[in-house]
Amino acid sequence: MANLKEIRNRISSVSSTMQITSAMKMVSAAKLKKAQDAITAMRPYADKLTELLQSLSATLDADSGSTFSTQRDVKNVLIVPITSNRGLCGAFNSNIIKQTNYLIDNVYAGKNVSVVAIGKKTNDAFAKKDIVIANKSEVFDDLTFDNVSEIAQLLMDKFVAGDFDKIEVVYNKFKNAATQEVITEQFLPIVQVEANANVNLDYIFEPTKVEIVEQLIPKSLKTQLYKAIRDSFASEHGARMTAMHKATDNATELRDQLKLTYNKARQAAITNEILEIVGGAEALNN
């Protein structure tokens, strides 16, 4: 049986760890509320903007389509995995990295695949493969629409220039604090939808419908990326809060087991001392 000093040291170490994980859980819970409110408020606007854009685009002639809708033979692919800058959030980061590796090794096997890293964990995972062309992890230091717009503009410029034939975003979609869904979303070219005969678009457009679509597309793409990063940001805090909650529970259970072991060892040591004293007394009497 381990000596009492070793058990006391382990109890002290586990208790310290439990205090840290409990504090991290409370911090993530506080941040989660703000991040959750932000993505919940943004989703209806982003979804409606995308719906409007797709409805208008579906009614345009093929030769009046946007350069962002150009379909090319897929040879060069750009993937934008969104992870966090820090760990201790369960499988949050590893799920994104695993999905990105699946796309590289299976879906786009034989293609020229590059990565724009959003999150230090993405950069760390793919920098060794020498496929990271840009690291935009600093966006989480000041997560605003303007800062995300710069990244979206970079992606749009590279697509228009013909550097890449397809761009996809991989991120965790926030559902609740305990559940995140890994999403692979096509960023460019814009996904074409068939015109819906039930949609009433008998409007007078000023300026023209084509000009409106041309102005809406960049705004919609920037909003789409901003929503994905916001989703990932909320998911990160939810995953970290859940992971730290489990870690705190495990540390509490381990501490209780160590205390029980300590008490048993202490009781055994006391019993041995009593037996030694009684044995010594009996020897003197004889």
Side-chain angles (χ1 to χ4, degrees):
M1 185 176 291
N3 63 56
L4 295 177
K5 184 177 180 181
E6 290 178 352
I7 299 177
R8 281 200 305 269
N9 289 339
R10 289 197 62 190
I11 292 174
S12 177
S13 176
V14 171
S15 297
S16 298
T17 301
M18 186 178 67
Q19 291 177 349
I20 294 172
T21 56
S22 179
M24 292 181 67
K25 171 191 170 184
M26 289 187 290
V27 170
S28 292
K31 291 183 177 180
L32 172 62
K33 181 63 171 64
K34 184 177 179 180
Q36 182 177 353
D37 290 344
I39 187 59
T40 302
M42 181 183 178
R43 271 181 184 161
Y45 169 76
D47 293 342
K48 193 63 180 179
L49 181 61
T50 301
E51 177 186 342
L52 176 61
L53 178 64
Q54 290 178 341
S55 298
L56 287 173
S57 299
T59 63
L60 295 178
D61 297 332
D63 56 354
S64 62
S66 167
T67 54
F68 298 112
S69 304
T70 305
Q71 302 287 334
R72 298 190 288 257
D73 291 337
V74 178
K75 297 179 181 178
N76 301 304
V77 180
L78 180 62
I79 302 177
V80 187
I82 304 174
T83 59
S84 66
N85 286 340
R86 298 182 295 126
L88 299 178
C89 46
F92 173 82
N93 292 315
S94 61
N95 286 341
I96 297 298
I97 294 171
K98 186 185 301 182
Q99 176 64 14
T100 304
N101 280 322
Y102 173 79
L103 293 175
I104 295 173
D105 298 335
N106 296 277
V107 179
Y108 299 117
K111 312 290 185 183
N112 296 321
V113 181
S114 300
V115 167
V116 169
I118 299 181
K120 291 181 180 178
K121 296 301 180 181
T122 296
N123 188 62
D124 293 344
F126 297 103
K128 299 175 183 178
K129 296 184 177 181
D130 197 28
I131 59 175
V132 178
I133 62 171
N135 180 11
K136 299 296 182 180
S137 303
E138 72 279 357
V139 70
F140 289 113
D141 297 334
D142 186 17
L143 186 52
T144 63
F145 182 78
D146 290 339
N147 290 335
V148 175
S149 294
E150 294 179 4
I151 303 175
Q153 190 62 53
L154 172 67
L155 301 180
M156 288 186 283
D157 291 343
K158 288 189 174 296
F159 179 80
V160 173
D163 295 342
F164 298 100
D165 306 311
K166 191 175 184 180
I167 300 177
E168 292 202 311
V169 179
V170 183
Y171 66 98
N172 281 292
K173 182 178 180 180
F174 178 81
K175 287 193 170 181
N176 54 56
T179 307
Q180 301 84 36
E181 180 184 0
V182 177
I183 299 293
T184 301
E185 192 171 82
Q186 182 169 315
F187 187 73
L188 286 170
I190 295 174
V191 178
Q192 297 293 322
V193 296
E194 295 182 359
N196 188 349
N198 297 325
V199 177
N200 181 18
L201 290 176
D202 187 18
Y203 304 133
I204 297 175
F205 295 95
E206 179 64 34
T208 66
K209 188 187 300 185
V210 174
E211 290 176 305
I212 291 175
V213 171
E214 289 293 339
Q215 293 177 15
L216 273 179
I217 286 177
K219 184 176 181 64
S220 176
L221 290 172
K222 292 175 181 178
T223 303
Q224 179 183 343
L225 183 61
Y226 185 56
K227 180 176 73 72
I229 295 178
R230 272 290 178 190
D231 251 320
S232 179
F233 189 65
S235 298
E236 174 193 348
H237 291 302
R240 182 171 289 111
M241 186 185 76
T242 302
M244 292 301 99
H245 176 72
K246 291 180 180 179
T248 302
D249 289 346
N250 292 337
T252 302
E253 182 180 353
L254 179 58
R255 183 194 61 179
D256 293 342
Q257 291 176 353
L258 287 171
K259 283 185 176 180
L260 181 61
T261 302
Y262 175 81
N263 290 333
K264 288 181 178 180
R266 185 167 175 269
Q267 185 179 24
I270 293 173
T271 302
N272 288 335
E273 290 178 2
I274 292 175
L275 290 175
E276 290 176 358
I277 293 172
V278 172
E282 288 294 333
L284 290 175
N285 291 334
N286 293 334

